[in-house]
Amino acid sequence: MAPVAIGSDTGGSIRQPAGLCGITGLKPTYGRVSRRGLVAFASSLDQIGPMARSAADCALVLETIAGHDPGDATSLAEPVPPYTRSLEGSLEGVRIGRVPAHFGAGIDPEVAHAVEEAFAAFRAAGATIHDIDMPHADAGVACYYLVAPCEASSNLARYDGAHYGHRAEPGRGHRAEPGRGATGYESALVEMYCRSRAEGFGPEVKRRIMLGTYALSAGYYDAYYAKALRVRRLIRQDYLDAFAKVDLIGGPVSATAAFRLGEKTDDPLSMYLLDLYTVCTNLAGVGGISFPCGFTKSGLPIGFQLQSPALAEPLLLRAADRYQHLTDWHLRRAPLAAKGA
Amino acid sequence: MTASPTTATTVIGLEVHVQLLTETKLFCGCSTRFGAPPNTQVCPVCLGLPGSLPVMNRRAFDLAVRAALALDCRIAPFTKWDRKNYFYPDLPKGYQISQYDLPFSSDGTLEVADPKGAFARKVGIIRVHLEEDAGKSMHDEAAGTGDSRIDLNRAGTPLCEIVTQPDLRSPQEARAWLGELRLLLVWLGVSDCNMQEGSLRVDANVNLHIPVEGRVAKTPIVEIKNLNSFRAVERAIAYEAARQEDEWRTSGAEMGRVPKQTRGWDDAAGVTRAQRHKEESSDYRYFPEPDLVPVTVDEARLAGIRATMGPRPAALRLRLAETWGISAYDADVLVNQGSELVAWYEELAGLAGDGKVASNWMQQDVLRTLNERGGTIAEFPVRPAAVADIIGRIAKGDFDTSRGREIFAEVLASGRGVADVVASMGIAAVSEEELVALCRDLLAANPKIVADVQGGKEQAAAGLIGQARKKNPNVNPAKVRETCLALIRAM
């Protein structure tokens, strides 16, 4: 339908859908693309990036949208390299890390197989593969599901029905009274706030607002939010340690291929666990790209993820582009999509 | 209960919010001008629209640092922003960008001394931090509909919060200290401290220390809000001290056993009233503001700010007294009028060559006229050189001080120069011969006075001065007296 699109990735929302749908999606380094104009969910994690058929197309889009914005205090001042030209060159000597824990319990064997095949392809292209340890990665989901909801609970407070978006019609026949009126609300204004938010937010957003509000509350802050920030620093340190040994980190995007529509609605925890491989990239603020590396027997796309140090998008894009020159997974369409077309 | 009313000590700490004198808001480019039509000085950032992001105004930060330096605070080399979350119609983002655990400055002091020596108090500053102001809610109670209107022009205006130690000990001290704080901040151009326009707002924390049976009983701390003038601060604290003493006598409640209470000052009724519990208990869920980066402040930047500050009022009082030989009280009066008036005074004192006389003219003539006419010293139509000219002519004996005042009044009223006014008023120096001739005539016409003086009552000569001025308004009274006495002695 469109050759390229842009999305925002807070814990994997570019890379995971790209992986599940068989396209290429890039989450740049935090601050590489201005967040101005983006409806903020979790400000310290949100990052805008391209979604396209190929890494080369992602490079083209990133070259256009990246750069410093004086209107976003967190955007980076570093100059923007010519990403499209940095695709040239081989992967000879490039060190790619492989995290054995990624292939532990919970991963679909078909996904594991396709990912290992991709590692083999990189090795064939001249890269070397090294097993590395990310000791705090398994705390990533817990950490993410505190940091992100805490920020979201604050960022979403402005959706009160007063300025824009959905506004509930006020109830009739009552006025602001001290104490509680006939409607059970303290005042018509409070009723408008409460009902606008109740009607306008979906269940998953409400769940996260409640999680975040709870975790930031007096008496819980230290146990939850403050601890999550400490874990976040440890995860960032894991990446610094890893990137002292390797140039990129490879692995699966998600443990399984796409799940059925509504399949996980009643089990949010299992849905959160699907983010296991993507959230740490955001917590550390580094770059990540996801691209297709095969299909399941039932014809669903499988994604491969590469992560890079901050601002190493040229290498990240080159590696993905090289892979897409050696394989054609990114050109194939899932049978389901092809049938529908 | 054994304590008597006189043994209780009133313990006061203040929380002061001051709007900074910036052209634009703290995190966007909107104007901070007061009095514009509602909601005309707003943009996506201060309206909290989706996708908008704050960017710090460096001028506001430097101005806040200037205030903190003036209060002898320590400036943190690293400071960050935090979100203070609460829901209120005039807070469009649902949170205020403020500073929580790492304020940009802390540990300062500001001294205040009563010029007549009634008290001198060194007040510790716990912290000064920077935050954005909220909008304004206008509750239309008169209309009876309960409608409220929101003006977001003020939302995002830079605000310094100054928190003192509980070091003040009386309502008078609190008022005087606030006066000194206002003087300092206006002096340095940090704020206009206009309470009517809300650019200076005060909350007071008050409790009593009552010696009782060998220990000190401390009454529960009450925070007083809605203090709209310095007079209100003084009255509210005095009221609250008396109320707490009464309450302690009946309930015996002490600090720590009951929660801190918030009371609002009702200026018309002259009482504080308890606010609803809901208004006082808040959980602001502070956390670091992820849309902004921390601010680092190095020594070079501090030096740059310090270099533009000049002497502070306290130092200037001492210097004026020393340089110009005026009393501490006079120096206080002059300095309390602000830096522009002090500059005016020093120019006058220099030209006139007499600091004391210049100070008298400032206080009796210039300040009195300013108070009557309104306006600032910068708008005053008479320049220091003109007043110095008048002072110089008085010193030369051209005319006396009361004649000088008439000249001053005419210069003020007509806008003409001193020499011109002197000439048109027919003021001319009286020669020695004219003076002697005039005195001879007077003595001849007043034998009784001559006899009285000869009888040892020199003060009788005063009766001659009025007559002399009637004959010639230009004569100098002291010289008339001197000459007449000499002539009588020579008789």
Side-chain angles (χ1 to χ4, degrees), chain A residues 117-149:
Chain A
E117 290 284 299
F119 274 120
F122 277 112
R123 196 177 288 115
T128 54
I129 311 300
H130 308 263
D131 278 357
I132 56 163
D133 190 19
M134 301 290 275
H136 302 96
D138 55 353
V141 170
C143 176
Y144 174 84
Y145 277 97
L146 283 167
V147 173

Side-chain angles (χ1 to χ4, degrees), chain A residues 35-38 43-44 70-74 151 154-155 157-159 163-164 175 186 189 193 213 216-218 221 225, chain B residues 48-55 83 85 87-89 92-95 145 147 152 278 283 285-288 290-291 293:
Chain A
R35 293 184 294 116
R36 191 151 57 116
L38 171 69
S43 310
S44 76
D72 174 0
T74 64
E151 293 183 13
S154 174
N155 279 332
R158 67 187 64 189
Y159 302 96
H163 294 91
Y164 36 71
R175 267 286 168 198
E186 187 186 309
L189 179 71
Y193 284 161
T213 304
L216 286 174
S217 297
Y221 181 93
Y225 184 72
Chain B
L49 296 183
S52 67
L53 291 171
V55 178
R83 288 189 185 175
N85 295 284
F87 235 88
Y88 204 73
K93 296 193 297 297
Y95 58 84
T145 59
D147 278 354
L152 294 175
K278 223 184 136 153
D283 181 354
R285 307 192 312 277
Y286 281 101
F287 75 100
D291 285 333
V293 288

Side-chain angles (χ1 to χ4, degrees), chain A residues 228-248:
Chain A
L229 288 191
R230 284 198 297 277
V231 172
R232 186 175 183 178
R233 277 194 290 277
L234 292 172
I235 288 171
R236 194 172 291 155
Q237 192 57 47
D238 279 358
Y239 277 91
L240 291 175
D241 295 345
F243 287 129
K245 298 180 202 122
V246 295
D247 303 305
L248 297 168

Side-chain angles (χ1 to χ4, degrees), chain B residues 114-250:
Chain B
D114 178 51
K116 289 177 179 142
F119 54 82
R121 197 66 74 183
K122 194 170 181 172
V123 177
I125 309 282
I126 296 173
R127 60 186 277 161
V128 180
H129 76 247
L130 192 51
E131 62 189 24
E132 56 174 347
D133 209 344
K136 226 184 304 184
S137 298
M138 286 162 294
H139 304 292
D140 186 9
E141 282 152 14
T145 59
D147 278 354
S148 292
R149 288 161 197 278
I150 307 292
D151 177 7
L152 294 175
N153 282 353
R154 200 178 72 178
T157 297
L159 210 55
C160 250
E161 181 175 323
I162 300 163
V163 184
T164 78
Q165 296 280 2
D167 287 342
L168 292 157
R169 290 291 177 270
S170 73
Q172 296 74 29
E173 284 183 26
R175 182 180 184 160
W177 187 85
L178 285 169
E180 184 68 9
L181 178 71
R182 177 170 64 183
L183 176 68
L184 180 67
L185 297 179
V186 172
W187 192 277
L188 292 170
V190 168
S191 172
D192 63 19
C193 292
N194 186 329
M195 281 186 99
Q196 280 74 48
E197 295 179 2
S199 47
L200 188 151
R201 286 167 249 161
V202 183
D203 299 332
N205 286 287
V206 180
N207 78 337
L208 299 179
H209 287 187
I210 307 169
V212 51
E213 289 153 11
R215 67 182 188 97
V216 174
K218 297 176 181 175
T219 59
I221 296 174
V222 167
E223 182 176 359
I224 316 175
K225 291 196 172 284
N226 196 32
L227 298 168
N228 293 322
S229 67
F230 285 5
R231 188 165 166 268
V233 172
E234 192 174 356
R235 288 176 67 210
I237 293 171
Y239 172 86
E240 188 55 28
R243 192 197 64 79
Q244 287 186 22
E245 182 143 353
D246 280 353
E247 183 170 299
W248 180 76
R249 283 178 192 291
T250 49

